[in-house]
């Protein structure tokens, strides 16, 4: 983080590509000291991207540190900032503020099985977790990925599924709410897939990201399956302005998602998730 945490570094768009319908991947090369600031960032952290003249918005960093000298962001087009970003192309300059927030305790996860559950754009902050496990395969147990979207056209990182599937001790299970004629995986909600896959809670941790309603029902089901709340990790989103714990916009009870999170375990936030729906 820079001396003035409200001042963005400049970043150059090294690559922009379609990831899914209305979702683009932005690969950002940091300039003016940003590289040093982001050195050693961790899976789960996020950054604010600014489209100059329009504003800034927070996005999960979608690649693990050390996977190239660039930062990846998967951006779903929703409103003014995300539309401004979607209108940018390679070589354009944007602002980057961060890295922000806490991270997944990847060290503590070593030696344990991981169940990763991603819904839609919620897959973005989970990709660095998957990359970290695959790059250090012997350090972790079985990796089970449950990946969901409303429709096949909304699945993110599809060109990486083959590599995930063929990695040792790694299983990928896909589901969509609404299939198309070419779809030959599960059709139904991610909770339906979770019930079918039925992962064992023994020596396992879970990591979930997706829309609040998905996080709520997945977490409830994991509890019923015997996963203890301290082993169920989620990464949460909220409207936030400063990202520094100053403005108080992103509170969840006593906690601020920007500085106490965005990564929490269910022992910390389980009883507050209903207010989040
Ligand atoms: C920690 C964190 C990580 C995030 N990671 C990603 C990511 O990796 N990829 C991604 O595409 N988005 C991510 N988001 C959400 C992203 O910040 C918002 O989509 C963005 O702020 C929208 O800005 P906008 O100006 O385009 O839309 P606005 O004009 O601000 O809003 C457009 C519409 O989207 C709704 N909206 C905006 N932000 C949110 C939000 N956080 N939650 C629910 N509804 C919202 C508004 O109510 C409005 O209806 C993340 C948010 C947080 C807090």
């Amino acid at each position: 983080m820079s001396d003035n945490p409200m001042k963005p570094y400049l970043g150059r768009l090294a690559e922009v590509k379609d990831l899914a319908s209305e979702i683009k991947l932005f690969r950002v090369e940091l300039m003016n000291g940003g590289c040093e600031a982001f050195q050693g960032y961790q899976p789960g952290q996020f950054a604010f991207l600014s489209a100059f003249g329009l504003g800034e918005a927070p996005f999960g960093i979608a690649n693990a540190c050390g996977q190239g000298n660039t930062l990846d962001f998967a951006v779903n087009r929703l409103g003014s900032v995300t539309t401004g970003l979607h209108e940018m192309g390679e070589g354009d300059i944007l602002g980057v503020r961060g890295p922000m927030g806490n991270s997944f305790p990847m060290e503590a996860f070593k030696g344990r099985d991981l169940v990763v559950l991603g819904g839609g754009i919620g897959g973005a902050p989970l990709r660095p977790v998957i990359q970290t496990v695959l790059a250090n395969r012997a350090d972790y147990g079985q990796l089970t990925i449950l990946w969901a979207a409303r429709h096949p056209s909304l699945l993110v990182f599809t060109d990486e599924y083959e590599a995930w599937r063929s990695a040792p001790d790694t299983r990928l299970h896909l589901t969509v709410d609404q299939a198309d004629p070419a779809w030959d995986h599960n059709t139904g909600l991610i909770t339906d897939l979770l019930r079918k896959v039925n992962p064992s809670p023994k020596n396992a941790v879970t990591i979930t990201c997706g829309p609040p309603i998905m996080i709520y029902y997945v977490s409830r089901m994991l509890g019923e399956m015997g996963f203890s709340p301290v082993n169920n990790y989620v990464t949460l989103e909220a409207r936030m302005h400063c990202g520094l714990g100053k403005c108080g916009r992103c509170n969840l009870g006593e906690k601020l998602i920007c500085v106490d999170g965005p990564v929490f375990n269910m022992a910390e936030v389980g009883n507050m998730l209903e207010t989040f729906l």
Side-chain angles (χ1 to χ4, degrees):
M1 187 93 66
S2 79
D3 291 345
N4 175 357
M6 290 305 288
K7 185 177 168 191
Y9 297 103
L10 296 180
R12 194 184 70 87
L13 286 174
E15 191 181 345
V16 180
K17 67 175 184 180
D18 288 328
L19 265 191
S21 174
E22 301 289 3
I23 301 175
K24 286 189 179 186
L25 179 95
F26 294 87
R27 186 152 287 159
V28 181
E29 234 171 49
L30 289 161
M31 300 152 75
N32 75 326
C35 251
E36 290 73 38
F38 277 81
Q39 220 151 47
Y41 74 84
Q42 294 296 313
Q45 289 197 283
F46 67 97
F48 276 75
L49 296 183
S50 31
F52 296 122
L54 292 171
E56 61 169 11
F59 300 96
I61 305 174
N63 64 329
C65 195
Q67 306 260 333
N69 277 328
T70 46
L71 299 177
D72 285 352
F73 297 92
V75 176
N76 189 13
R77 188 157 73 90
L78 271 185
S80 52
V81 173
T82 51
T83 298
L85 292 170
H86 270 238
E87 284 167 0
M88 290 185 178
E90 283 171 22
D92 284 347
I93 304 293
L94 73 178
V96 187
R97 215 155 58 78
M100 289 178 169
N102 68 353
S103 57
F104 296 108
M106 296 306 296
E107 274 300 307
F109 289 169
K110 284 185 175 170
R112 309 188 69 176
D113 291 342
L114 268 79
V115 184
V116 171
L117 302 109
I121 191 68
L126 303 180
R127 182 175 175 243
V129 171
I130 295 169
Q131 289 176 334
T132 301
V133 172
L134 298 189
N136 303 278
R137 198 63 201 85
D139 290 346
Y140 299 91
Q142 177 82 33
L143 172 63
T144 305
I145 304 167
L146 279 73
W147 215 242
R150 278 180 284 125
H151 186 262
S153 63
L154 292 167
L155 282 165
V156 291
F157 305 115
T158 49
D159 55 354
E160 295 172 28
Y161 295 171
E162 227 16 78
W164 297 355
R165 274 197 195 99
S166 54
D169 298 321
T170 304
R171 300 271 176 284
L172 171 66
H173 303 273
L174 301 172
T175 191
V176 293
D177 300 357
Q178 221 183 1
D180 62 16
W183 184 250
D184 58 357
H185 302 278
N186 191 71
T187 303
L189 298 176
I190 195 165
T191 40
D192 167 55
L193 183 64
L194 177 57
R195 199 180 299 282
K196 284 182 188 159
V197 173
N198 194 22
S200 164
K202 199 172 160 219
N203 194 33
V205 293
T206 70
I207 305 176
T208 308
C209 187
I213 189 111
M214 172 197 140
I215 293 182
Y216 177 76
Y217 282 107
V218 163
S219 302
R220 248 176 58 167
M221 185 175 279
L222 289 168
E224 288 161 16
M225 290 173 139
F227 286 87
S228 91
V230 285
N231 291 328
N232 289 347
Y233 287 80
V234 293
T235 170
L236 300 179
E237 280 186 16
R239 297 283 285 180
M240 62 174 69
H241 286 183
C242 68
L244 302 166
K246 305 282 185 212
C247 74
R249 293 299 291 265
C250 62
N251 78 297
L252 180 62
E254 305 260 290
K255 299 197 184 294
L256 292 172
I257 289 178
C258 65
V259 287
D260 300 319
V263 173
F264 297 96
N265 66 44
M266 292 307 290
E268 297 172 283
V269 295
N271 59 353
M272 288 185 282
L273 274 193
E274 230 160 301
T275 63
F276 202 61
L277 293 176

